[in-house]
Amino acid sequence: MSTLSMAEVPELEVPQHLLNRHTFLFGAATSAYQIEGRPEGREPCIWDAFCTQPGAIRDGSNGKDACQALAHWQEDFALIKQLGLDAYRFSISWPRVIDANGQLKADGLACYQQMLDDLQQAGIASDVTLYHWDLPLAMEQQGGWLNRDTAYRFADYAEKVSQALAGKVTRWCTLNEPWCSAHLGYETGVHAPGKKGRFQGQRAAHHLLLAHGLAAQAIRAADPGSQVGIVLNVTPCYAISEQRADMQASDNADMLHNHWYLSPLLEGKYPDGELAEQILTHVPMQKGDMTTIAQPLDFLGLNYYHPTRVAAAHQADREYQPMPVAADCHINAMGWECDAKGLKDILLQLHQRYVLPPVMITENGYADELKAEQGRVRDKRRSWYLQQHLQALAEAISSGVDVRGYFAWSLLDNFEWTEGFSKRFGLIYVDYATQQRIIKDSGLAYQQMLARRR
Ligand code: IFM
């Protein structure tokens, strides 16, 4: 643990109305495959297989060890308490708790039970995601999210787990970022399972949305005292010029990235328009699906990292590409533009267009490649990023958006999917060779901000 004195850490200056602990919560998030390790205790998942493909992961790594979080969870939970977090968001590994025959595995579930009990005793809320991309490999071998049956298997898993953990979980998140699972996993193939195919993204997305709706019903029946929601990654889309073609491309990007998910969930229908209609001819929809998908949500989790700049020239028909960005803006180690105004913009856009349930910012964070030096990580840029985004969030709240909480991504440095371990998002540094944890300067600033609250 760091011995740095508080006075040495730059303060996070955050508007007062975010500092009322009765109306706004602060947490940090992780996901199972990215931190857990211990693959021998579970069935294989699609990322185990994907990581073996040459060139799939930038540094050739995988999640087999990661942060060894199942071995170190008590130490990590002590750090959560030391930071003063109100809530911890983590995910359950589907292939750890369900065996090859679809039965609940008591030993796989035991660790999550202990974690939830520990959080409950400490008065820390738990935000539990059921699917953060680690589909059991056996299910992928039967078509994965292109197969409608996977939605029913997911609902069965959700039912079993929410029955077993009833009364322990504050908020259930069914899926994390279905756009990534669908589009990156089945359309462009840059994420697991690495499938490529036109319209496969929307086909997978339909089954993911259906899985969400079925699971939400099952969780509500099994654990009526909890809250149920879903987590989407949203991005405001800005045309790079006012030319008609660029504006049209930007609208298409907005529709495919944001509204393809929000509109079914909140309005029970896919977006309108010629492009949407053309795509929908490839989506295997059945009667009643849209009603199932549009379950009432107790909260909507939104993840925000960067805006998307759109140019018609980069459009291959209905595709879009994030564009090079405005000259003087800061780019993080992922190559992502840091633009806090984008968070405010997207929140206001969604507030104007939909009747939103209470919103949680379930992920937001900054990537660098900084290593610890003499036991300290001076990650000024991360503190700057957090402050900018909390300021933008406060402005969105003042303009009427009902946001109830904010989770920094991530609690710990971890396995960053195709980037492997080269990119670090944590408030806490992880030395992967020794598994030592060090609270970064940004983590200490977050801790101080939380300590200053009423
Ligand atoms: O690490 C990921 C996380 O798993 C999902 N949201 C985005 C993060 C940063 O890429």
Side-chain angles (χ1 to χ4, degrees):
M1 283 181 202
S2 174
T3 53
L4 190 69
S5 92
M6 290 297 194
E8 291 176 70
V9 179
E11 279 200 359
L12 279 184
E13 282 165 27
V14 173
Q16 275 305 316
H17 60 285
L18 290 193
L19 295 180
N20 183 342
R21 61 167 83 232
H22 303 295
T23 53
F24 195 84
L25 66 82
F26 282 96
T30 61
S31 91
Y33 189 80
Q34 292 178 276
I35 65 165
E36 280 185 353
R38 208 178 274 173
E40 65 283 0
R42 57 165 172 77
E43 301 296 317
C45 78
I46 52 176
W47 278 90
D48 296 321
F50 187 69
C51 290
T52 65
Q53 292 180 18
I57 310 297
R58 187 183 291 269
D59 59 5
S61 65
N62 55 56
K64 283 188 182 144
D65 281 322
C67 309
Q68 294 181 6
L70 289 185
H72 289 260
W73 75 265
Q74 277 144 323
E75 183 189 335
D76 293 339
F77 278 38
L79 291 168
I80 289 174
K81 292 168 200 166
Q82 192 182 334
L83 289 177
L85 302 185
D86 304 314
Y88 176 47
R89 174 174 178 244
F90 64 99
S91 80
I92 289 180
S93 160
W94 182 354
R96 195 178 294 286
V97 298
I98 299 288
D99 70 16
N101 301 317
Q103 298 307 310
L104 199 60
K105 282 170 63 190
D107 56 338
L109 203 66
C111 188
Y112 299 118
Q113 265 155 341
Q114 287 167 25
M115 290 180 191
L116 288 166
D117 289 342
D118 192 272
L119 291 174
Q120 217 165 33
Q121 270 165 23
I124 297 172
S126 50
D127 289 68
V128 175
T129 306
L130 282 166
Y131 186 68
H132 200 122
W133 308 355
D134 43 1
L135 185 72
L137 187 58
M139 257 171 246
E140 182 52 41
Q141 284 155 355
Q142 290 162 36
W145 289 110
L146 296 176
N147 180 353
R148 186 179 172 93
D149 192 46
T150 301
Y152 297 105
R153 307 278 288 270
F154 178 73
D156 185 54
Y157 150 60
E159 180 178 30
K160 289 191 165 94
V161 169
S162 57
Q163 265 166 7
L165 299 178
K168 296 183 192 290
V169 173
T170 313
R171 280 170 290 271
W172 291 97
C173 306
T174 53
L175 308 176
N176 181 70
E177 302 182 349
W179 179 87
C180 294
S181 304
H183 187 78
L184 304 180
Y186 292 89
E187 184 101 10
T188 60
V190 297
H191 273 195
K195 299 248 170 83
K196 290 191 181 104
R198 208 166 142 68
F199 304 117
Q200 286 194 166
Q202 280 82 16
R203 214 174 296 160
H206 186 70
H207 295 143
L208 281 151
L209 287 167
L210 182 65
H212 155 78
L214 294 166
Q217 290 173 324
I219 298 166
R220 282 220 164 87
D223 188 12
S226 66
Q227 301 204 340
V228 185
I230 184 170
V231 172
L232 304 179
N233 53 319
V234 289
T235 177
C237 297
Y238 304 120
I240 60 145
S241 82
E242 286 183 3
Q243 291 194 9
R244 229 175 127 238
D246 289 334
M247 306 274 278
Q248 182 60 57
S250 174
D251 286 349
N252 288 349
D254 184 34
M255 190 264 284
L256 291 167
H257 193 111
N258 299 313
H259 303 294
W260 200 263
Y261 297 84
L262 283 157
S263 181
L265 290 164
L266 299 175
E267 298 178 328
K269 63 185 188 63
Y270 280 106
D272 301 322
E274 210 178 300
L275 175 59
E277 272 166 33
Q278 187 203 339
I279 294 170
L280 283 170
T281 60
H282 301 269
V283 173
M285 212 181 308
Q286 293 187 13
K287 196 158 171 266
D289 283 1
M290 300 315 286
T291 311
T292 304
I293 291 169
Q295 292 304 306
L297 295 173
D298 297 315
F299 68 95
L300 175 64
L302 298 177
N303 296 352
Y304 172 77
Y305 289 89
H306 59 81
T308 300
R309 310 272 163 193
V310 189
H314 280 219
Q315 271 209 317
D317 195 1
R318 66 200 177 81
E319 289 296 344
Y320 64 92
Q321 291 283 328
M323 285 293 291
V325 291
D328 61 350
C329 90
H330 182 75
I331 311 287
N332 74 12
M334 298 288 285
W336 294 346
E337 176 180 353
C338 297
D339 176 25
K341 183 176 162 293
L343 174 60
K344 181 178 170 188
D345 284 355
I346 188 73
L347 286 172
L348 292 179
Q349 284 169 19
L350 300 183
H351 176 60
Q352 274 153 21
R353 180 157 169 174
Y354 298 103
V355 179
L356 292 177
V359 170
M360 292 284 186
I361 302 302
T362 32
E363 284 181 30
N364 174 240
Y366 179 83
D368 60 28
E369 297 184 348
L370 284 183
K371 295 274 174 58
E373 282 175 24
Q374 289 155 351
R376 181 169 176 187
V377 183
R378 296 168 193 265
D379 58 337
K380 265 203 207 110
R381 280 289 184 187
R382 180 166 294 101
S383 298
W384 165 81
Y385 182 97
L386 293 176
Q387 171 149 340
Q388 300 285 309
H389 285 76
L390 288 171
Q391 177 68 43
L393 183 57
E395 287 171 21
I397 294 171
S398 299
S399 304
V401 191
D402 180 9
V403 186
R404 308 268 177 99
Y406 174 92
F407 290 79
W409 183 269
S410 173
L411 178 71
L412 303 169
D413 290 339
N414 58 50
F415 176 73
E416 178 49 32
W417 308 114
T418 54
E419 296 295 319
F421 293 103
S422 61
K423 307 293 183 282
R424 294 175 177 268
F425 277 92
L427 295 176
I428 298 173
Y429 179 81
V430 178
D431 178 333
Y432 297 111
T434 62
Q435 290 298 336
Q436 189 199 358
R437 275 73 164 140
I438 298 170
I439 302 183
K440 299 180 187 178
D441 282 10
S442 61
L444 293 168
Y446 204 62
Q447 177 190 37
Q448 283 184 38
M449 174 197 69
L450 299 183
R452 284 201 307 274
R453 287 179 305 170
R454 278 176 281 150

